[in-house]
Amino acid sequence: MFMFFSVPMLVLFFLFSFNLNISYGKFKDEKITVVIDENYPPYSFYKGEGELQGICVDLWHLYEDKTGIEVELVSESWNDALNAMKNRQYDVIDTPTYCEERDQYLDFSMPYASVNVLIFFYDNISGITDVKSLEGFTVGVIEGAHIIHVLEKNGITNLKTFRNPEELILAAKEQKIVTFVMEEAPAFYYLYKYNLNDQYNYTKPLFKMQLFRAVQSGEKRLLKKINDGFDLISQEENQAIMEKWHGINYNTKVNKKLLKIIFYSMIITCTVLIFLFVWNRALSIKVKKKTKELSDTIQVLKESEAKNKALIKAFPDTFVILNNQHSLLDYHVPDHQDNYAIIDLKQRLEKSVDDELADKFKSGINEAFKSGEVVSLEYNFLYEREKRHYEARIAPINDDRMIIVNRDITERKKAEERFYYASIHDSLTGVYNRYYYESEIKRIEENGVNTFCAVVVDVDGLKLINDTLGHYMGDLYLKKVSKLLMRAFPDDSIICRIGGDEFCVILKDKLEKEIELYIKIFKYKAGTGNQDNELPISISLGYSYSDEKNIDCNERIKEADNRMYREKLHRKQSTRSEIVQAMKHMFEARDFISEGHATRMQELVEQLSKAAGIPESETADIKLLAQFHDIGKVGIPDYVLFKTSELTKDEYELMKRHTEIGHRIAISSADLLPIAEGILKHHEHWDGSGYPFGLKREEIPLECRILSIADAFDAMTNDRPYRKAIDQKDAISELKRCAGTQFDPVLVEKFIQIIENESIKKDFA
């Protein structure tokens, strides 16, 4: 029977070979150029020595052997390869996917492979399951890839393109991107190459993408040559190339061999059954049964071994296996860890002398053997001058073997320490916070102390500083006070910030004379000892001392708070006056716009006030307004105040706040209170286009209308950070142009008459 079928098969084989030779000769002495992706493993990529390799390279070389057609392989980035085909630079492009856009300039072969497209994302991100869940993320893609059209079609437009897969994976390694979409094979190749496989998770395949070969549109004859030539490659040859680059599943290979064995066994058994009938048939059934049992056993063992290897490889922790004599039998260290912890543990366990850590481990091992349960313990030791923390879990395997899983928890311990520190400290000043303060009071009342003292400190004028100079200056003010407290009081003091502007210092087991000395030092440092500050530090303080056994801490703190409040009432007005005076000195020292601005302004407004018929008794307030109208600029940042170019919209809005800040400063000072309204309204315009209220005409106070004309003239005729001074004649022309819009037209005429007077010219030329 075998020979009967062999002869026809042999004839067919020769006919097929003859046909191959015909096809081979048909293509001989021809040449085609093929462009492929320079970085698309395993289909096409470069060795370390710069040699192009991969599935596509091997298939085209085999095509060349089969057909006799010379093939020139050219590698470019994928996007450049597509553009080259658009420009008809090459005959064929390998591995494109089909889409309507490419169909306009390419003719496609039948697909010869398919690849899965997945979403990859950093392992601390959750909730990414499909394309829609990528909304809001910057998604990495390969330039020119078909997936770009798929993502954009689904509304994902925040894309970052890369030249090739390796460039994208390197960006992912540096976390420049945390999500990307790519074909499975090149993605896993570079994730494993750069040890990122355990840092990135991935979704189920979004879809399968088929790979084609394509020629220039209209090249049907060439496309047929390509298809016919690859048809000459046998399935076995094609499979061999695929297995070379994709690898072979060992279990699958074993199964195939077993199936072949079973198949031939069955043929032999059937042949024997023909000759031996019933006895041979019974024997074959027995052999078949035993073979199946053996196959199943081998398969189970292989699967178990593969599973165990995969688990060990994926295990992130170090583990060791010991016997009941504490001797190390085996160990595992992940790729990303050093084995110094295992070496140290081995050395300690093998020492015959007493060792605290070794004794701790031996005790844990004995307890685990005895109880049969998992025993956990934590330990630490110095490695290269760094304290490392570890958690060990000891579990018995059987009666004489034990596994110890060792985890490095150093970063977790550091995070816990940082969290605990943040939970009991004030984030701004660094002293203890309200939570720690209340906890400490509770501990003192429960445990008792020999003496107890509470010092309550309130920072005076903080609201005025926040409202005028901004919260940044207020925060600096608070930091200075907290530093003074830490310098003045001993290290064992408990210094807490218990409110926005209130601190409390708790002192235990101190004599009252000592405490009075600490308070005296603190007041000195905050007063005469702190004269280098631009703003004076003013505090109100009260304290309460007790040497009773049963101390009511809250009662003592309440008494200290009352004393502080009484002191605050006595110094409230003087404190505000001190701060305002400091701001005036800051303003006078800096003369914000230009040197001598305030002096010139006083002279100009005095002349215009007289011309407007204002009584001399009221001129003094107008001159004071001319001197301090811009005092609110002490609260404007220097980068805005002294900017040499035009202000942005936001910067201009910030600059406009100086009138409100100046008003708050003025109403806090008895000296400046008469001009507070003028400071607030000195930027109002005649036509209502000014700020902050948009007042018009006579709604604007007269002194403000006078001041605005004098201020504008002085600004134009003197250098400013953002421009040079202009000629006096040009300044007068500008005043005339703005009369009736920005300025009171009547006052402008009077001011021009004053300026054109010879004596004024001499002074202000």
Side-chain angles (χ1 to χ4, degrees), residues 726-742:
I726 64 174
D727 184 75
Q728 181 175 293
K729 182 184 288 186
D730 294 335
I732 291 173
S733 298
E734 186 65 17
L735 289 177
K736 288 179 179 180
R737 188 182 69 81
C738 296
T741 54
Q742 184 174 348

Side-chain angles (χ1 to χ4, degrees), residues 384-429:
E384 295 182 351
R385 299 183 180 179
E386 181 185 7
K387 189 176 183 181
R388 307 294 298 178
H389 298 268
Y390 291 89
E391 177 187 60
R393 294 193 176 189
I394 307 170
I397 299 173
N398 50 39
D399 292 340
D400 64 350
R401 291 197 177 188
M402 178 74 60
I403 184 169
I404 301 177
V405 179
N406 206 46
R407 175 169 293 180
D408 190 330
I409 58 171
T410 305
E411 295 306 317
R412 189 184 82 188
K413 285 289 186 182
K414 289 179 180 179
E416 288 173 356
E417 290 171 3
R418 289 193 297 269
F419 178 78
Y420 177 70
Y421 180 88
S423 70
I424 64 173
H425 286 83
D426 176 52
S427 60
L428 176 65
T429 61

